Amino acid sequence: MKSRMIIPFIVCLAMAMGTAGVAWGGASPEGSYAFLFSSGPYHQLERMDETATALYTAAYTNNRQAAFAELQKIHKLLGNEMLRSYGNEDGWSAMENDAAAIERALTSGVKHSLWLEHTVRLRIGADALINGKGALWHQYKVLLNHDVNAIKLAWKRQAGDPVAAARATMQGLREHAARIETAAMFAGDSIRMKELMERIAYAGRLLDEKQSTVAKTEVDQSLEAIRMAVNGVFLEDKQTSAVPAVAVPGSGQPLKWTLMLGTLISAVLTWTGWRKYKARPYGVKKL
């Protein structure tokens, strides 16, 4: 007779715990499974994001000891095969290259301004993996278009040397585009990002200081091509895009409702079993 009460009670507790896991872990790609298994890939992605942020902070404050410690953590995470199931190999290779460049800079003792940009790329790349359409790199669309406008203004200036002014402004565009390269790769934009970098390099060659004259129309066309490439990278309706594997699902969670219903049923069975047990303990009816 006790089994009529004990078994449903245990089932009720198990399903109640499962329901709580789904509710609290619903923002992760595995739902309740990420809640139950903290070593899962989503948890590792969170660690990657936190470590990349800590590495950037250490680099910004020129704390080499802290930067080296965080870099070792990143190396370990980059070797995690489960973690690399997210994103794509191009993005992970780019992160490995940045981590290797930081390590070379730290061991050679160069000033932090020479390896700070690599930490920025790692930070933005890790953020793109975990935050989907809300990632930081999407904000660079406005910045890159602003850089293109600044180059056009410098190129059309009347006073001074417009070629030198445009060339100096081009450096800022090149740096900003390089920062989001890894993030764009993770978002499935490797081809468009490569096109953007090649167009920037071509415009830079047109403005090379060794050239005595620069064709105005050719530079104008090159700058307009850069703008089109920027818009192509951030094109929102592209099919190859890139909601990362960790994006929050938009649909409902049938598992949550199944567990809630099971909890309710097992609770009713537990109550019914307890009443029967009180009426007939051990199956013996009192006279």
Side-chain angles (χ1 to χ4, degrees):
M1 282 297 294
K2 282 187 177 181
S3 61
R4 292 185 179 182
M5 176 181 62
I6 296 176
I7 294 177
F9 179 69
I10 295 175
V11 173
C12 179
L13 288 178
M15 289 194 171
M17 292 175 63
T19 304
V22 171
W24 295 337
S28 69
E30 295 91 0
S32 62
Y33 301 104
F35 170 78
L36 296 175
F37 303 102
S38 61
S39 61
Y42 183 79
H43 178 70
Q44 298 298 318
L45 280 176
E46 288 182 325
R47 288 185 57 193
M48 171 66 80
D49 184 54
E50 293 171 356
T51 305
T53 302
L55 176 61
Y56 166 73
T57 302
Y60 186 78
T61 57
N62 197 23
N63 188 337
R64 292 175 176 269
Q65 183 176 359
F68 188 80
E70 298 300 333
L71 183 61
Q72 299 310 306
K73 296 178 184 178
I74 284 183
H75 277 308
K76 185 176 181 181
L77 289 167
L78 288 175
N80 189 320
E81 293 298 326
M82 184 184 299
L83 178 62
R84 293 175 78 110
S85 62
Y86 289 109
N88 53 59
E89 195 56 35
D90 289 339
W92 290 114
S93 297
M95 293 191 84
E96 287 177 340
N97 292 336
D98 285 318
I102 295 170
E103 186 171 21
R104 289 193 299 269
L106 285 173
T107 53
S108 60
V110 300
K111 56 183 180 179
H112 75 289
S113 60
L114 298 179
W115 49 276
L116 179 61
E117 284 296 319
H118 292 288
T119 66
V120 175
R121 285 165 55 90
L122 283 173
R123 170 72 183 94
I124 296 177
D127 177 78
L129 274 174
I130 200 168
N131 286 320
K133 292 184 178 180
L136 294 171
W137 79 282
H138 289 286
Q139 301 176 13
Y140 273 73
K141 180 180 180 180
V142 175
L143 181 59
L144 292 175
N145 280 309
H146 174 76
D147 289 338
V148 174
N149 292 335
I151 296 171
K152 284 187 174 183
L153 290 175
W155 170 244
K156 294 179 179 180
R157 64 186 297 180
Q158 301 297 324
D161 186 353
V163 177
R167 190 187 307 122
T169 313
M170 178 69 71
Q171 180 61 26
L173 173 64
R174 187 180 295 110
E175 291 178 357
H176 292 155
R179 287 180 185 178
I180 66 169
E181 188 173 10
T182 302
M185 289 178 179
F186 278 135
D189 291 314
S190 299
I191 296 177
R192 289 187 174 92
M193 193 65 216
K194 183 178 180 181
E195 177 189 359
L196 174 59
M197 299 304 293
E198 289 178 349
R199 291 191 181 279
I200 292 175
Y202 176 71
R205 289 193 296 270
L206 289 178
L207 299 172
D208 192 277
E209 61 183 357
K210 296 179 181 179
Q211 297 183 1
S212 58
T213 60
V214 180
K216 182 177 183 303
T217 56
E218 194 172 0
V219 172
D220 291 339
Q221 291 173 359
S222 177
L223 294 177
E224 190 58 33
I226 291 176
R227 186 187 300 280
M228 294 176 62
V230 168
N231 294 332
V233 170
F234 294 94
L235 192 62
E236 305 210 352
D237 58 351
K238 52 187 176 288
Q239 294 181 352
T240 57
S241 158
V243 178
V246 296
V248 179
S251 59
Q253 299 181 11
L255 179 60
K256 178 175 68 175
W257 296 108
T258 301
L259 290 174
M260 289 179 63
L261 183 61
T263 303
L264 179 62
I265 294 173
S266 56
V268 173
L269 291 176
T270 302
W271 169 252
T272 304
W274 179 80
R275 290 188 61 187
K276 289 185 176 181
Y277 176 76
K278 292 293 290 183
R280 299 178 61 186
Y282 306 104
V284 178
K285 185 176 181 180
K286 295 182 179 180
L287 298 177

